[in-house]
C-alpha cells in the first residue's frame, strides 16, 4: 500500500487547488480521493489488467467533463488564470504512460490508439507526434498506426512529404494491406486537389504562362524541386495518383482492391474531370490482372465491374453493399433510351466474352457458378423493373437464350470450359425471366423448361439440378392452374420429381443443390406420411450408390432430414421406430449423422423420449466396429445426456465407453471431453 499512499501524496497539490478555486467542495474532494484510492489499489496488483487502467482513465475523463461544466456555470477562472485547467488532462496522460510501461499493455495496439485519440482530442499536437513515433517503433507492422501517423503529419503538421514517407514505409512492410493503399491513394488525391487550388489562388495556370520564358514558367515546390508547366499539367491530371494505383495493383492484384479504389475515388470531393480520369485508369487495369489464381468471388467481382462500366460512374454501386448490388437503378432511369440500349448491349457482349474464357478445372465449379449468377442478376435487374421498356427486356431474354444455345452447342462438340457448370444456372434464370415477361402464361414457361431439361444431359450434376429445380417449380405452378383432379395433379408432379431424381443422381460437388432436388417434394407430403416418404428416398438413394463409384452426397442430407422429421413430429419417437432404424444397417449411418441426431434430440422439447434415444445409442454401439466413429459418437451422446439433465447416465456411458475402447488415445479423448462437460 506504500505505492498507493505515494500516489495519494502526489495528488495533494492539485486537490488543494481545486478547493482554493472552489471547483469542488471539501466533501467532493474527499469522495474523489476515496475513488482514486480504489483505482490505485487495482493497479498495484501483480498482474494488472487493461480494464483497470481504462476504468481509471474513464473516471478521470468524467471528472474533467464535470470540472468544465462547473467552471462554465459558475464563471470561474479559466486558461492561464487557473491552476486547475489542465491538471486532470495531465493525469489522464500520466495514466496512459503508466499503462504503456507494462510490456503486455504496450503490445496492445488499441492502447496506443486510444492514447493518440485522447491527445488529439485535447489538442496536444506535439505529444501526438511523440506518441506516434513510439507506437511505430513498437508496432512496425501495424497498418492503422501508419494511417494515424500520416493523417497527423498531413492535417496537423501540413507536411504532405512526411505523410507520404510514412505511408511508403508502412507499405514496404505491409505491401498487401488494403487500408494502407486506400489511405495512400486518398492522400495523393487530396494533394492534387489542394495543390491545384493553391496554384489557382497564386495565379499559376497555363493561360497566363503563354509567351513567357521557361524560367518564369517554372514553379518551386515545398521541397525545393522546380516544376515546369508540363510537369504541373501532369500532376493536376493525376499522374502521381495513377502511379500509386499502379503500384497498388502490382502489390495486390485483386479486383476487390480496384473496386475499393473506385468507390474511394467516386466519393472523394475532387473535380469531376479528375475523378473520371482516375476511374477510367482503374478500369483499364482490370483486364491485366492475372486470372489464374483468382478466387471465384474475385473472378465474379471482376466480371461485375467490367460489365457495369458502360453505364457510367453515376450508376456504379459498390459491391460491398451486397452480393447482388450491380447498378443504381434510379441512375439508369435517367438515361435516354438510346444510351441505355447501347450500354446494355455493351454489357451483354462483355458478359458473353468473359464467360467463354476457359477456367482451370480445379476451381471450375465455384467460379462458373459465381460468374453465371452475376449475368443472371444483371438480366433479372432489368426484367423485374416495370419502368424499363419491354423491347429492352425481350432483347436481354433473347441474348440469354442465344448464349445458352451457343454453350450447349460447344458442349455437344466436346469443347472444354466452364459451361458444363454454369449454364444450368443460366437456364434456370432464363425460365425465371420468361415467367416475369410472360404475364402469367405458365404454358410457355413450362414448354421452355421441358426443352431445357432434355438438353441438360450434357451438363454437370450441379447444372442439371438447377434446371430441374426450376422445372419442378414451374410444373407445380402450372398444376395449380390446371382443372384436373387433385390426385391426378399429385401423380403428375410426382412423376416429374421422380424423373428429376433419376437424371440428377446422387453424386456431384454441390451437395446442397442436388439434395434440394431429392427433398423438393417432402414438404408437400402430409405430416403423417413425411417420415415414410423420406425412408423411401433413403432406400432409393442407396440403390443409386450401387450403380456409381462416386460418393453419395445426398444420403447424409436425407438421413438428417429423416432424423429431424422423426424426432420433431410428436408421437413418432417410440421403441418401434428405434428398432426399425437399427435394422437399416444398409443406411450406413456415420458418426457425423449420429452427432446431428443427438443435437436435434437435445434441442427438441416435445416428442422425444430419452429412453428411446438411449436404446438407439446402445443398439448402434453393439453393432459398430470403427474406433474413430465410436469415440465421436460416445462424446456426442454424453453431451446429449448432460443437456437433458441425465448426468448420472452420462457418467455410466463414459465408463462403459472407456471399457469398450481399445486404444489409449481414444480413451484420452473421451476422458478429456467428459472433464470439459463436468466443468471445474
Amino acid at each position: 500500500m506504500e505505492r498507493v499512499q505515494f500516489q495519494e501524496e502526489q495528488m495533494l497539490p492539485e486537490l488543494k487547488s481545486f478547493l482554493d478555486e472552489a471547483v469542488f467542495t471539501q466533501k467532493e474532494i474527499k469522495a474523489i480521493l476515496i475513488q482514486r484510492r480504489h483505482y490505485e489499489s487495482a493497479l498495484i496488483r501483480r498482474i494488472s489488467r487493461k480494464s483497470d487502467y481504462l476504468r481509471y482513465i474513464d473516471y478521470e475523463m468524467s471528472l474533467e467533463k464535470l470540472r468544465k461544466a462547473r467552471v462554465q456555470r459558475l464563471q470561474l477562472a479559466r486558461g492561464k488564470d487557473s491552476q486547475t485547467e489542465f491538471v486532470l488532462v495531465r493525469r489522464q496522460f500520466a495514466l496512459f504512460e503508466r499503462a504503456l510501461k507494462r510490456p503486455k499493455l504496450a503490445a496492445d495496439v488499441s492502447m496506443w490508439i486510444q492514447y493518440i485519440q485522447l491527445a488529439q482530442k485535447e489538442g496536444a499536437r506535439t505529444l501526438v507526434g511523440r506518441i506516434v513515433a513510439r507506437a511505430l517503433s513498437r508496432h512496425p507492422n501495424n497498418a492503422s498506426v501508419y494511417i494515424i501517423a500520416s493523417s497527423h503529419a498531413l492535417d496537423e503538421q501540413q507536411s504532405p512529404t512526411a505523410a507520404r514517407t510514412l505511408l511508403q514505409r508502412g507499405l514496404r512492410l505491409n505491401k498487401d494491406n488494403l487500408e494502407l493503399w486506400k489511405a495512400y491513394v486518398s492522400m495523393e488525391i487530396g494533394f492534387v486537389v489542394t495543390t491545384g487550388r493553391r496554384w489557382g489562388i497564386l495565379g499559376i495556370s497555363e493561360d497566363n504562362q503563354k509567351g513567357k520564358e521557361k524560367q518564369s514558367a517554372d514553379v518551386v515546390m515545398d521541397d525545393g524541386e522546380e516544376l515546369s508547366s508540363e510537369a504541373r499539367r501532369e500532376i493536376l491530371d493525376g499522374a502521381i495518383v495513377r502511379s500509386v494505383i499502379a503500384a497498388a495493383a502490382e502489390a495486390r492484384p485483386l479486383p476487390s482492391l480496384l473496386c475499393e479504389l473506385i468507390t474511394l475515388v467516386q466519393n472523394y470531393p475532387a473535380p469531376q474531370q479528375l475523378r473520371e480520369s482516375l476511374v477510367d485508369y482503374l478500369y483499364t487495369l482490370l483486364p491485366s490482372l492475372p486470372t489464374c489464381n483468382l478466387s471465384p468471388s474475385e473472378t465474379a467481382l471482376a466480371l461485375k465491374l467490367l460489365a457495369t462500366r458502360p453505364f457510367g460512374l453515376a450508376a456504379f454501386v459498390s459491391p460491398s453493399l451486397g452480393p447482388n448490388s450491380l447498378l443504381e437503378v434510379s441512375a439508369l432511369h435517367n438515361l435516354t433510351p438510346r444510351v441505355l440500349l447501347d450500354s446494355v448491349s455493351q454489357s451483354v457482349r462483355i458478359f458473353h466474352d468473359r464467360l467463354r474464357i476457359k477456367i482451370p478445372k480445379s476451381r471450375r465449379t465455384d467460379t462458373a457458378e459465381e460468374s453465371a449468377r452475376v449475368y443472371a442478376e444483371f438480366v433479372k435487374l432489368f426484367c423485374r423493373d416495370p419502368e424499363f421498356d419491354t423491347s429492352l427486356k425481350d432483347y436481354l431474354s433473347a441474348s440469354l437464350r442465344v448464349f445458352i444455345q451457343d454453350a450447349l452447342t460447344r458442349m455437344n462438340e466436346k469443347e472444354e470450359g466452364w459451361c458444363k457448370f454454369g449454364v444450368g444456372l443460366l437456364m434456370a434464370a432464363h425460365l425465371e425471366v420468361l415467367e416475369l415477361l410472360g404475364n402469367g402464361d405458365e404454358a410457355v414457361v413450362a414448354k421452355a423448361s421441358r426443352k431445357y431439361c432434355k438438353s441438360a444431359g450434357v451438363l454437370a450434376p450441379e447444372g442439371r439440378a438447377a434446371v430441374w429445380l426450376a422445372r419442378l417449380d414451374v410444373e407445380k405452378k402450372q398444376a395449380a392452374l390446371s382443372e384436373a383432379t387433385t390426385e391426378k395433379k399429385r401423380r403428375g408432379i410426382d412423376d416429374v420429381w421422380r424423373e428429376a431424381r433419376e437424371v440428377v443422381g446422387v453424386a456431384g460437388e454441390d451437395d446442397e443443390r442436388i439434395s434440394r432436388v431429392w427433398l423438393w417434394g417432402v414438404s408437400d407430403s402430409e405430416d403423417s406420411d413425411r417420415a415414410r416418404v423420406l425412408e423411401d428416398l433413403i432406400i432409393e438413394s442407396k440403390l443409386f450408390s450401387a450403380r456409381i463409384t462416386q460418393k453419395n452426397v445426398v444420403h447424409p442430407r436425407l438421413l438428417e432430414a429423416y432424423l429431424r422429421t422423426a424426432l420433431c413430429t410428436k408421437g413418432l419417437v417410440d421403441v418401434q421406430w428405434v428398432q426399425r432404424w437399427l435394422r437399416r444397417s444398409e443406411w450406413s449411418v456415420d458418426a457425423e449423422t449420429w452427432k446431428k441426431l443427438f443435437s436435434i434430440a437435445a434441442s427438441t422439447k416435445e416428442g422425444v423420449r430419452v429412453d428411446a434415444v438411449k436404446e438407439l445409442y446402445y443398439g448402434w454401439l453393439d453393432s459398430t466396429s470403427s474406433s474413430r466413429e465410436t469415440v465421436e459418437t460416445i462424446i456426442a451422446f454424453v453431451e446429449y445426456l448432460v443437456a437433458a439433465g441425465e448426468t448420472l447416465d452420462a457418467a455410466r456411458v463414459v465408463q462403459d465407453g472407456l471399457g469398450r475402447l481399445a486404444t489409449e488415445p481414444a480413451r484420452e479423448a473421451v476422458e478429456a471431453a467428459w472433464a470439459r462437460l463436468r466443468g471445474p
Side-chain angles (χ1 to χ4, degrees), residues 617-624 660:
Y617 164 77
Y618 284 114
W620 167 82
L621 193 61
D622 292 334
S623 62
T624 186
R660 292 173 180 267

Side-chain angles (χ1 to χ4, degrees), residues 360-598:
K361 189 175 182 180
S362 59
R363 56 189 183 86
R364 189 174 295 165
T365 302
D366 294 337
T367 302
E369 181 177 346
E370 293 293 333
S371 301
R373 184 175 287 113
V374 174
Y375 187 20
E377 286 298 327
F378 175 81
V379 175
K380 288 187 284 187
L381 181 143
F382 288 91
C383 293
R384 289 195 192 104
D385 197 319
E387 295 191 23
F388 289 115
D389 188 66
T390 305
S391 59
L392 178 64
K393 299 178 182 179
D394 292 338
Y395 166 74
L396 287 167
S397 176
S399 300
L400 183 56
R401 185 186 69 252
V402 169
F403 182 80
I404 292 171
Q405 292 173 349
D406 178 60
L408 292 173
T409 302
R410 291 169 180 266
M411 283 185 287
N412 288 325
E413 295 174 355
K414 309 297 183 182
E415 181 176 331
E416 289 292 331
W418 73 275
C419 296
K420 282 188 177 182
F421 303 91
V423 75
L425 293 175
L426 294 180
M427 287 180 174
H430 189 226
L431 293 177
E432 185 177 348
V433 169
L434 290 177
E435 194 169 358
L436 290 171
L437 302 181
N439 297 321
D441 191 356
E442 295 293 338
V444 175
V445 185
K447 182 179 178 181
S449 68
R450 297 185 188 109
K451 178 182 177 181
Y452 280 153
C453 286
K454 288 181 181 178
S455 306
V458 295
L459 301 180
E462 296 80 9
R464 295 198 298 267
V467 179
W468 277 97
L469 282 171
R471 182 185 171 184
L472 287 169
D473 292 337
V474 170
E475 295 286 353
K476 186 176 180 179
K477 292 177 183 177
Q478 190 179 25
L481 300 174
S482 174
E483 298 179 357
T485 62
T486 304
E487 183 63 26
K488 188 175 181 180
K489 293 179 183 178
R490 183 70 250 179
R491 285 201 305 269
I493 294 176
D494 286 343
D495 291 341
V496 177
W497 185 27
R498 188 179 303 106
E499 184 182 359
R501 299 196 301 271
E502 182 72 28
V503 173
V504 172
V506 295
E509 297 182 24
D510 189 352
D511 57 333
E512 181 179 355
R513 186 173 286 111
I514 296 173
S515 300
R516 282 172 56 195
V517 174
W518 281 78
L519 295 169
W520 180 83
V522 174
S523 59
D524 295 334
S525 305
E526 298 291 337
D527 291 344
S528 57
D529 295 337
R530 197 165 296 169
R532 179 189 56 79
V533 171
L534 284 167
E535 288 182 7
D536 295 339
L537 290 174
I538 291 171
I539 296 173
E540 183 181 343
S541 74
K542 294 304 293 183
L543 293 176
F544 269 93
S545 298
R547 305 201 302 260
I548 62 174
T549 58
Q550 299 95 329
K551 179 183 177 182
N552 186 336
V553 298
V554 175
H555 182 67
R557 297 293 186 103
L558 294 176
L559 286 175
E560 181 181 352
Y562 178 69
L563 292 171
R564 195 175 296 277
T565 300
L567 289 174
C568 297
T569 304
K570 197 170 183 178
L572 286 181
V573 179
D574 53 20
V575 176
Q576 292 181 356
W577 175 82
V578 171
Q579 293 172 349
R580 186 167 69 251
W581 170 266
L582 292 174
R583 285 198 299 268
R584 301 293 190 183
S585 60
E586 73 275 10
W587 285 8
S588 304
V589 185
D590 57 7
E592 189 65 30
T593 305
W594 284 103
K595 285 192 284 187
K596 288 181 179 178
L597 182 149
F598 299 131

Side-chain angles (χ1 to χ4, degrees), residues 347-359:
S347 296
V348 168
R349 284 195 297 271
I350 292 172
F351 273 119
H352 290 189
D353 292 340
R354 298 288 293 187
L355 290 176
R356 289 191 179 102
I357 296 176
K358 294 182 179 180
I359 301 170

